[in-house]
Amino acid sequence: MAYPASVTLYEVGPRDGLQNETARLPVEAKVRLIQALSACGLSRIEIGSFVRPDWIPQLADTDQVAQRLQKRAGLRYSALVPNRTGLDRAVASGLREVAVFMSSSEAHNQKNTNKSIAESLEHFSAIVPAAKAQGLFVRAYLSTVWGCPYEGEVDPRRALEITQKLRAIGCDEISLGDTIGVGNPLQTRRIVALFLEGGIEASRIALHLHDTNGTALANCLAGMELGITTFDTSVGGMGGCPYAPGAAGNLATEDLASMLEGMGIETGVDLEKLFAAGELAEDLSGRKLPGRRLQAALGRRKPGEARKAAST
Ligand code: MG
């Protein structure tokens, strides 16, 4: 089986992680977290969201976060923009990359964005060209591709049609989301193969896999086998799953980075620095984060807490 020589980890912790944590962090803490992640060798970080502050209070101050960051050369910072106002705020904050978002199931799109799928596409057909005209890189999130919390199974051909439209209006990259973490590797292979056959190049696809059922790494592997090289991950697995409280949501950055390092696949990430960023994320979120590799690393640093029983 052929795997890519290198993979890009798209860090979503400061946005997708924090928006699903109950802790509300001050600007200074968010900046510290992003700086810690920037030091790990990651090449892409989503730092927040320019949605209306009352929608996601955890991310109400993304403008200030973006302005206070000491941006690293070569590192791409991005943020969610729901509308033209959000786009203007992102540009004013110095960002050169933005992300729009919608779902491939009507019910989820309606609940998440208050729009039908047709309305979202129409809405983006004004925002995305405006972003492209300013030279920005535009990512589009497409949620519920593997399944919907309200509708159950979703026909991936519908997701492909939406993706083709998103590409046609100028979106550079489509991040396909397993929003409720129900995907399995064969399903992932079928979905990615369908997209490739439908004319969407592997380089235009990112996979946003959730680890709710423990299958995210296996799904990444299935994606890599078909040439996908960009995966969304969250430091420590921060964020949880809004549809299954207490369960894991976002795939943990350390879990994928560690597996890839073991496989000899380049990510540019320094694992020790990533563990330090994970420890900070855990301190800031005020709870034990679900990332397995992070917990293994932190556990080894605390020998006093080691279990006395012989391990098997
Ligand atoms: Mg997510």
Side-chain angles (χ1 to χ4, degrees), residues 12 15-16 20 208 210 249-250:
V12 297
R15 195 277 302 172
D16 193 15
N20 291 306
H208 185 106
H210 281 190
N250 293 312

Side-chain angles (χ1 to χ4, degrees), residues 18-42:
L18 283 184
Q19 84 173 49
N20 291 306
E21 293 285 335
T22 47
R24 286 193 200 175
L25 304 186
V27 169
E28 179 270 334
K30 290 176 191 168
V31 170
R32 263 175 72 207
L33 177 61
I34 298 164
Q35 300 287 108
L37 290 165
S38 305
C40 298
L42 291 161

